[in-house]
Amino acid sequence: MTVDSGFERWLLIRRSRRDASQRAYYLVFTRVGTTSAELAGAAGLRWTIEECFQRAKKELGLDHCEARSWHGWHRHMTLCMAAAAFLARLQASLRRAAFGKPNGTSPPLAA
């Protein structure tokens, strides 16, 4: 449905790859001409971000703050998010290093 201001409204339904019966629904307000692939990509990023927050809650205690002031809450959130960013960076560099190592079935490197 096109709106006069150069934007469109869409209903995006995203199916889970693991469980075909699980779906997520999004009401989208976007520029005219945005492709469905771009919309699906944005929805996929949202899913990734939510999983990242769930992991931070479980592993770093993101949701265990009982601060009674904004400053205490802000310090707790900042520390948790910095730790999450550090761990994500560490995980990415370890993966990159592991995938770069040749094994017995790897083809020889060209000189």
Side-chain angles (χ1 to χ4, degrees), residues 11-90:
L11 173 63
L12 179 66
I13 303 171
R14 188 171 188 268
R15 182 176 47 95
S16 172
R17 288 180 165 184
R18 293 184 188 139
D19 181 9
S21 65
Q22 185 182 7
R23 292 185 177 88
Y25 299 90
Y26 303 91
L27 291 175
V28 181
F29 186 68
T30 186
R31 280 184 247 115
V32 173
T34 304
T35 65
S36 58
E38 291 173 320
L39 295 177
L45 284 177
R46 181 174 179 259
W47 213 316
T48 304
I49 292 168
E50 286 180 14
E51 286 178 359
C52 187
F53 273 110
Q54 289 298 326
R55 190 173 353 136
K57 287 179 183 179
K58 188 170 99 175
E59 296 174 2
L60 301 172
L62 183 67
D63 60 344
H64 292 167
C65 181
E66 295 183 14
R68 302 202 184 275
S69 69
W70 182 86
H71 293 289
W73 177 85
H74 188 265
R75 288 178 184 136
H76 177 77
M77 292 297 136
T78 302
L79 182 62
C80 285
M81 296 311 290
F86 172 77
L87 292 174
R89 172 71 181 193
L90 181 63

